[in-house]
Amino acid sequence: MHIVIPDDYQDAIERLRCFSLLDGHDVTRYREPAPSFEELVDRLRPAEVIVAIRERVTFDRALIARLPNLKLVALVGRNATTIDYAACTEHGVMVSRGESNSPTSPAELTVALIVASRRNIVIEAERMRRGGLPYTLSHRLRGSTLGIFGLGNIGSLVAQAGVGLGMKVLVWGQAGSAKRAADAGYDVAPVKRRCSNDPTCFRCMFGCGLTPRALWVPMTSR
């Protein structure tokens, strides 16, 4: 079976223990994205199976129609917004999803971004590389408010980290999130409350799909 992995951007697939499951199959990996649509078609045309690691390739109708050998698109994650499922169905292409989504990585990255933003790490690190001295005013996280919309698996880990850093946690969300917040001892915000005018409030959204109930989210970008 010919398997194509179009976005092994970390060049790490062959080092995974699970890669041995593909022994005996013809596997082609690409680390760099295709420079054009035609190049992408050329790369994927031989594939019977495509393993999509990230949503870096848009499997729209135009692409699916150009892949006559394709039988399966295998997702590493649980869902993707870049796949035309109707086109896959019409062309007899199955789509499978992974079940190993870990909340740890996105939670840790979220905390890292919060710290970097509050402490101006990106700006100051670049100045240090140029031999300069710090010139921005950084702020503490302790005493700040961490606003979380959606207290699911990821949001819960971020909330725990925020508490560990001395932040106050304020949760928005539907009934499940509100109950989990109350059980954890976090403040639950009324649905119309905003913290956009509070300079000490960080707002994070987790697991919020584009449903009609989610479109009112009371947050503004900073």
Side-chain angles (χ1 to χ4, degrees), residues 20-149:
S20 63
L21 296 173
L22 302 182
D23 288 348
H25 297 288
D26 183 8
V27 181
T28 303
R29 301 178 301 121
Y30 295 96
R31 186 171 187 181
E32 299 295 333
S36 67
F37 178 74
E38 291 302 322
E39 173 67 21
L40 178 63
V41 171
D42 289 342
R43 291 182 179 185
L44 300 182
R45 185 181 287 114
E48 297 172 81
V49 176
I50 295 174
V51 179
I53 297 177
R54 291 289 187 185
E55 295 178 294
R56 299 189 176 198
V57 175
T58 299
F59 293 94
D60 55 17
R61 184 175 297 275
L63 179 59
I64 296 296
R66 298 280 297 276
L67 306 177
N69 301 309
L70 186 61
K71 298 180 176 64
L72 171 68
V73 175
L75 303 177
V76 174
R78 290 185 296 179
N79 51 58
T81 60
T82 55
I83 296 178
D84 187 330
Y85 294 97
C88 287
T89 300
E90 292 172 15
H91 287 82
V93 177
M94 297 180 63
V95 179
S96 66
R97 69 178 192 176
E99 295 293 342
S100 61
N101 278 19
S102 170
T104 303
S105 292
E108 290 180 353
L109 288 170
T110 299
V111 175
L113 289 171
I114 291 174
V115 174
S117 172
R118 196 66 166 165
R119 291 292 184 176
N120 301 315
I121 289 176
V122 175
I123 296 173
E124 297 295 1
E126 183 58 33
R127 283 183 60 83
M128 289 179 66
R129 291 190 186 98
R130 298 196 304 265
L133 296 174
Y135 79 112
T136 62
L137 178 64
S138 63
H139 301 276
R140 296 176 181 174
L141 290 175
R142 180 172 295 277
S144 299
T145 300
L146 175 60
I148 296 180
F149 187 92

Side-chain angles (χ1 to χ4, degrees), residues 122-218:
V122 175
I123 296 173
E124 297 295 1
E126 183 58 33
R127 283 183 60 83
M128 289 179 66
R129 291 190 186 98
R130 298 196 304 265
L133 296 174
Y135 79 112
T136 62
L137 178 64
S138 63
H139 301 276
R140 296 176 181 174
L141 290 175
R142 180 172 295 277
S144 299
T145 300
L146 175 60
I148 296 180
F149 187 92
L151 196 66
N153 293 333
I154 300 173
S156 295
L157 290 178
V158 175
Q160 291 170 20
V163 170
L165 291 169
M167 302 181 76
K168 297 175 290 186
V169 176
L170 180 63
V171 176
W172 287 267
Q174 300 182 20
S177 289
K179 183 180 185 305
R180 285 188 289 272
D183 291 344
Y186 305 144
D187 290 338
V188 179
V191 295
K192 296 301 183 182
R193 176 176 174 181
R194 296 174 181 263
C195 71
S196 56
N197 295 324
D198 182 353
T200 67
C201 184
F202 292 85
R203 299 175 298 283
C204 308
M205 297 177 63
F206 303 101
C208 179
L210 292 179
T211 64
R213 294 188 65 184
L215 294 179
W216 59 265
V217 180

